[in-house]
Amino acid sequence: MPTLHLVALGLYGLAAALALAPFAGLPSLSRRWSVALPGAGALAHGMALAQLTPAGLAPILSLLALFLIVLQLCCELLLRATAVALFTAPLAAGLVGLALLLGLAPGVEAAAGSTVWSVLHVTLSVLAIALLALAFVSAALYLLQFRELKTKRFGQVFQLFPPLERLDRLNYGALAVAFPALTVGLLFGVGVRFAAGVDVAPAQLVWGSFTWVVLGWAVWARVVRGWAGRRAAFMSIAGFAAVVLVYLALKLVEPGRERFL
Amino acid sequence: MSIAVLGVNHRTAPLEVRERFAHAAHEVPPALERVLRAGAGGGVLLSTCNRTEFYLAQPGGTVAEAVWELLSERLGGGGAAQEYGYVQRDRDAVRHLYRVSAGLDSMILGESQIQGQVREAWQVSRVQAGPVLHRLFQSALLVGARVRGETGLGVGTASAPSAAVALAEKIFGALAGRSALILGAGDVAELAAGCLAAEGVQVALVASRTYERARVIAERLGGHAMTLEEAWDHFATADIVLCSTAAPHAVVTWERVAPAIRRRGGRPLCLLDLAVPRDVEPAVAQLENVFLYDIDDLQAVAAQATAQRRGEIPAAERIVSEEVDRFWGWYDGLGVVPVIRAFRDRLDDLRRAELERALRRLGHLSPEDRAQVDQFSQALLNKFLHEPTVVLKRAARVGHGYGLLEALKKLFGLETGAGR
């Protein structure tokens, strides 16, 4: 299990280095490598996770890393948005490294986490968080490219980052999929509470509700109010930052490596 | 001299001269016919806005005069075309075409349009090209593709109109279906609008102070014409605004366009100001989601790409040299076979004559013994010829056979009658 995680960590690290290379003045490798390296890493990672119960802090961080890499591959293959890897590859490598440091044993949530309700709840909720992270990444890329175009620098960011409208569409799509995924994920969480009879911690309730409200607000602003471009990018960054900060605050109140929250 | 190129290009002749030399496709066959009549085994005429070049196989003594005469006639006014011209021969001619096809000899380094023009020239001249030039042009297209595939010579946008397209693409992604408003109806506006239209942009409106001129261009690009005063409101809907009026001061001012731009709802607007002096007031760039680029910005994008491409020149030249060697090896090989055959025939004739004389003196020999002597003479000749034949073929393969063949012809008085 740790071996496959280590393989994934190595490949994600290489993918991150590959994404960052042009910004260090090194030549960029072919697109084939930016698919092959994270793809091979995701394969090893998926095999490792298939042997784990998705419960406890380390397995959930690992699952989040896997979703980030899968979304990165989707962006590369569907939108040719190679620059997404600038954020997602180091983030995924960091999350896998953290999961390995914490220890990948499922911990106290393992028994409850083995039910179908729980697996669906965790998978969909983590997918929604990964999509929210992708919305953040696309927003950050948007703002960087926006600045490059406004200030007429025409440097590496101009050359390597995708066009503004494509990044805006990616942001919209990520938020639009994240919201229903989280909604269904939380409904499965209710199923865990009533069908499996597992108590829900107050911190889980608070964070789940907060994230749902933030995502709902972001989707409402984009779909109903028609926010786009820079305003939508700032909103995505603020929303993601708020979700992460609230999680860290709750984790500080109730520390421990066994439980996700 | 067996392959030659004679012509003019953007380095040797100014535009007003080059445009006189340019041949339309229907003019190429008669021009080539005239040149080939002066004595050449084949010809291809490559004529673009930047070059007019005659590629000739086995050109005879008066062909060069025929080419310069033909071009001088087009120049008119008693001018001599060779003042602007150049001649390259053999390997240099092959290298020249390969460099042209790869975009190494282009005004905009690495531009890809020339590849299509080389293909078109070959196709138009197909009947008159002959086997050597067929092979040469075929390989030139492969060299062009190889250089673009294996180096970064074609990467980026190295001209101002293509830089304008690249900037718009960095904002909108694919430009197909986007709408453009053109301010000004001069040649520059028309050219740049044509570039955008080639990317699928819908040129919806053309505005100019002279309505009639705007109407002509709008009709050509499939849009509507209007006066400048009517155009400001359309800043609310157009994705790209291209400005190239001849106005002596800025016509696109904050006051005129800000109200319309505020109605865009955050959609980006790409403003391309190609005019000198500028048409757009710099303050307009301060408006939210407005991206304003003037001619200096476009040239900066183009220069950046050109600088990147320059770094690829050594790699591209290496490929060209490799391919010149390969072609010349093939080409030299064409001349080896008839010379070797003539050489062998000449020595075999000598052998037969000497054998006959010797056998006449050796009348007492039995038929078996005579056959033995004949066999011996043949074996001896084969032994003598083996090494020179191998050396000649090997030299031809690496492109060094020409000198050896000439020496052999002179030493043995060979008349192969086989030109390449």
Side-chain angles (χ1 to χ4, degrees), chain A residues 149-150 154 158 161 165, chain B residues 170 178 285 290 292-293 304:
Chain A
L149 285 164
K150 265 286 195 191
F154 313 131
F158 171 77
F161 281 24
E165 290 247 324
Chain B
K170 274 294 173 188
R178 297 283 170 187
V290 170
L292 169 63
Y293 302 106
Q304 198 179 41

Side-chain angles (χ1 to χ4, degrees), chain A residues 142 145-146 149-150 152-166 169 226 228-230, chain B residues 166-167 169-173 178 265 268 285-294 297 300-301 304 308:
Chain A
Y142 183 98
Q145 181 69 292
F146 186 95
L149 285 164
K150 265 286 195 191
K152 306 172 180 182
R153 284 192 214 170
F154 313 131
Q156 292 287 51
V157 169
F158 171 77
Q159 303 282 348
L160 300 172
F161 281 24
L164 288 181
E165 290 247 324
R166 200 182 300 166
R169 275 208 319 275
R230 222 150 65 108
Chain B
L167 280 166
E169 278 177 341
K170 274 294 173 188
I171 296 166
F172 300 111
R178 297 283 170 187
Q286 305 300 320
L287 288 162
E288 181 72 12
N289 288 312
V290 170
F291 299 92
L292 169 63
Y293 302 106
D294 60 28
D297 301 323
V301 172
Q304 198 179 41
Q308 282 173 351

Side-chain angles (χ1 to χ4, degrees), chain B residues 181-389:
Chain B
L181 166 64
I182 314 295
L183 300 185
D187 291 343
V188 176
E190 192 178 354
L191 182 74
C195 279
L196 289 173
E199 295 296 322
V201 174
Q202 307 265 301
V203 179
L205 305 152
V206 179
S208 172
R209 285 195 190 284
T210 48
Y211 180 83
E212 196 47 36
R213 172 80 178 140
R215 193 184 59 77
V216 171
I217 296 179
E219 269 176 17
R220 205 173 297 159
L221 297 168
H224 302 287
M226 65 179 72
T227 61
L228 274 181
E229 285 64 35
E230 292 170 307
W232 312 130
D233 210 37
H234 294 281
F235 275 65
T237 51
D239 296 307
I240 300 163
V241 177
L242 201 149
C243 311
S244 182
T245 75
H249 50 76
V251 290
V252 181
T253 60
W254 174 291
E255 289 75 22
R256 278 175 175 157
V257 297
I261 287 173
R262 288 199 191 97
R263 292 203 305 273
R264 297 179 63 83
R267 284 188 306 114
L269 171 66
C270 180
L271 259 172
L272 300 165
D273 185 357
L274 305 182
V276 180
R278 286 177 293 177
D279 276 343
V280 186
E281 194 177 59
V284 174
Q286 305 300 320
L287 288 162
E288 181 72 12
N289 288 312
V290 170
F291 299 92
L292 169 63
Y293 302 106
D294 60 28
I295 193 74
D296 282 354
D297 301 323
L298 299 183
Q299 277 166 356
V301 172
Q304 198 179 41
T306 306
Q308 282 173 351
R309 288 180 178 191
R310 278 207 189 96
E312 300 293 326
I313 290 177
E317 294 282 12
R318 257 195 311 278
I319 292 172
V320 167
S321 293
E322 272 174 40
E323 295 293 340
V324 169
D325 286 345
R326 194 196 301 262
F327 176 82
W328 205 252
W330 169 82
Y331 183 62
D332 250 0
L334 288 183
V336 164
V337 175
V339 174
I340 289 177
R341 193 178 299 130
F343 181 44
R344 292 188 79 99
D345 289 348
R346 165 59 57 91
L347 294 192
D348 200 50
D349 288 346
L350 288 173
R351 178 189 70 83
R352 281 173 198 279
E354 289 305 313
L355 181 68
E356 210 173 311
R357 197 181 307 161
L359 288 179
R360 268 204 303 272
R361 285 200 298 268
L362 299 167
H364 61 278
L365 292 181
S366 65
E368 289 77 23
D369 289 340
R370 295 170 83 88
Q372 276 294 327
V373 173
D374 183 29
Q375 221 168 23
F376 163 76
S377 70
Q378 274 184 28
L380 191 63
L381 180 66
N382 285 340
K383 291 268 183 211
F384 279 139
L385 285 177
H386 176 73
E387 194 60 23
T389 307

Side-chain angles (χ1 to χ4, degrees), chain A residues 111-200:
Chain A
S114 59
T115 65
V116 175
W117 290 102
S118 176
V119 170
L120 288 170
H121 160 63
V122 170
T123 306
L124 282 171
S125 303
V126 173
L127 174 64
I129 300 301
L131 284 161
L132 185 60
L134 181 64
F136 160 80
V137 169
S138 60
L141 293 175
Y142 183 98
L143 292 177
L144 288 167
Q145 181 69 292
F146 186 95
R147 195 183 60 161
E148 194 84 350
L149 285 164
K150 265 286 195 191
T151 55
K152 306 172 180 182
R153 284 192 214 170
F154 313 131
Q156 292 287 51
V157 169
F158 171 77
Q159 303 282 348
L160 300 172
F161 281 24
L164 288 181
E165 290 247 324
R166 200 182 300 166
L167 289 168
D168 194 47
R169 275 208 319 275
L170 177 60
N171 178 274
Y172 184 99
L175 291 174
V177 179
F179 184 63
L182 185 66
T183 306
V184 178
L186 292 181
L187 287 175
F188 280 124
V190 176
V192 173
R193 167 72 183 85
F194 291 103
V198 177
D199 284 337
V200 178

Side-chain angles (χ1 to χ4, degrees), chain A residues 61-77:
Chain A
L61 290 181
S62 177
L63 183 62
L64 180 59
L66 177 64
F67 279 139
L68 281 172
I69 291 294
V70 170
L71 290 172
Q72 174 191 316
L73 284 167
C74 291
C75 291
E76 173 66 47
L77 294 170

